[in-house]
């Protein structure tokens, strides 16, 4: 059981007025039933990570914590997309493409998108933060703590955490709300890498901190 001191520190980190919950690539074409990456989609669902993300999003809406969804997209003509790594070349050959405006880039159930949520889309790179609007939006929102959830623990999640820390935010990672492949890789990544730079916690611990009246956002 976490100590009282660590619980108080977590509560301070997760103050609704200065916290943003980020979901990373929780889109139908990645974690949905018709995913371009079925092994990753299965991991996200069978591990409970996607359900936990949905729980966190619902609690954030109730507590007045800003929710931001980071979506990876591509143009049908591929303009502006990276081609400088094996990952990008492999993705271009997949039967399901994350094309702008298609079902593949909509947020996947059971995660619900509220009217006040921000959806940030990127056409390039590996990170939800680098080269996108996310940093400017976080600063305008007064964010100090970024809760990072989603997929994958292999690439986008560590990118998001490192970028957040480099930009001066405190990163919080609920270990049961991220997923990667193979399944055993995710706890190893958390233990040996993310725990060095982020506050690692659980969905239930975060939910326990987000109790109280909803704040007004503007």
């Amino acid at each position: 059981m976490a100590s009282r001191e660590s619980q108080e520190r977590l509560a301070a980190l997760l103050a609704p007025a200065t916290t943003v919950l980020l979901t990373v690539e929780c889109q139908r074409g990645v974690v949905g039933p018709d995913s371009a990456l079925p092994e990753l989609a299965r991991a996200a669902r069978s591990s409970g990570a996607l359900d936990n993300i949905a729980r966190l999003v619902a609690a954030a809406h109730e507590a007045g914590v800003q929710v931001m969804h980071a979506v990876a997209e591509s143009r049908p003509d591929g303009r502006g997309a990276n081609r400088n790594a094996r990952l990008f070349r492999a993705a271009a050959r997949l039967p399901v493409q994350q094309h702008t405006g298609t079902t593949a880039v909509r947020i996947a159930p059971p995660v619900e998108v509220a009217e006040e949520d921000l959806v940030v889309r990127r056409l390039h790179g590996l990170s939800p933060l680098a080269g996108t609007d996310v940093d400017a939006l976080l600063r305008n929102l007064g964010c100090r703590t970024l809760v990072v959830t989603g997929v994958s623990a292999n690439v986008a999640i560590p990118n998001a955490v490192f970028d957040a820390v480099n930009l001066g935010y405190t990163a919080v990672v609920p270990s049961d709300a991220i997923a990667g492949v193979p399944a055993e890789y995710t706890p190893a990544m958390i233990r040996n890498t993310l725990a060095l730079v982020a506050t690692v916690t659980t969905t239930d611990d975060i939910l326990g901190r987000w109790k109280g009246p909803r704040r007004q956002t503007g």
Side-chain angles (χ1 to χ4, degrees):
M1 181 179 291
S3 68
R4 180 180 177 85
E5 181 180 358
S6 64
Q7 289 292 324
E8 290 176 350
R9 178 177 177 275
L10 184 63
L13 283 179
L14 295 172
T18 54
T19 300
V20 172
L21 172 64
L22 179 70
T23 76
V24 179
E25 296 182 29
C26 292
Q27 57 205 75
R28 291 173 182 259
V30 176
V31 296
D34 298 319
S35 170
L37 303 163
E39 185 182 3
L40 178 59
R42 283 193 297 271
R45 291 177 178 275
S46 65
S47 67
L50 193 60
D51 286 335
N52 284 332
I53 294 165
R55 293 170 64 209
L56 287 166
V57 168
H61 290 156
E62 287 297 316
V65 174
Q66 179 67 54
V67 178
M68 186 179 295
H69 305 279
V71 175
E73 299 186 353
S74 64
R75 288 170 49 114
D77 61 9
R79 285 182 183 271
N82 289 65
R83 295 177 178 83
N84 58 337
R86 176 180 161 196
L87 176 65
F88 301 123
R89 295 190 292 273
R93 296 192 296 269
L94 292 173
V96 177
Q97 292 294 306
Q98 315 298 321
H99 287 163
T100 300
T102 65
T103 301
V105 298
R106 295 178 186 169
I107 301 300
V111 179
E112 294 188 358
V113 181
E115 184 178 355
E116 63 265 28
D117 292 1
L118 296 172
V119 180
V120 180
R121 307 176 187 278
R122 77 177 195 274
L123 295 173
H124 65 88
L126 300 171
S127 171
L129 276 72
T132 72
D133 293 335
V134 169
D135 180 39
L137 293 172
L138 293 178
R139 294 188 187 282
N140 288 345
L141 291 164
C143 175
R144 288 192 222 156
T145 300
L146 187 65
V147 180
V148 180
T149 68
V151 297
S152 71
N154 306 74
V155 178
I157 295 299
N159 263 264
V161 171
F162 290 144
D163 285 346
V165 173
N166 285 332
L167 289 167
Y169 303 103
T170 297
V172 173
V173 177
S175 60
D176 53 357
I178 67 171
V181 291
E184 59 269 20
Y185 178 75
T186 300
M189 161 62 80
I190 293 169
R191 182 173 60 253
N192 297 302
T193 302
L194 298 186
L196 303 178
V197 294
T199 296
V200 176
T201 185
T202 66
T203 295
D204 285 344
D205 276 345
I206 294 176
L207 296 180
R209 306 284 78 76
W210 286 346
K211 292 179 180 178
R214 180 183 176 87
R215 70 178 172 88
Q216 295 296 316
T217 57

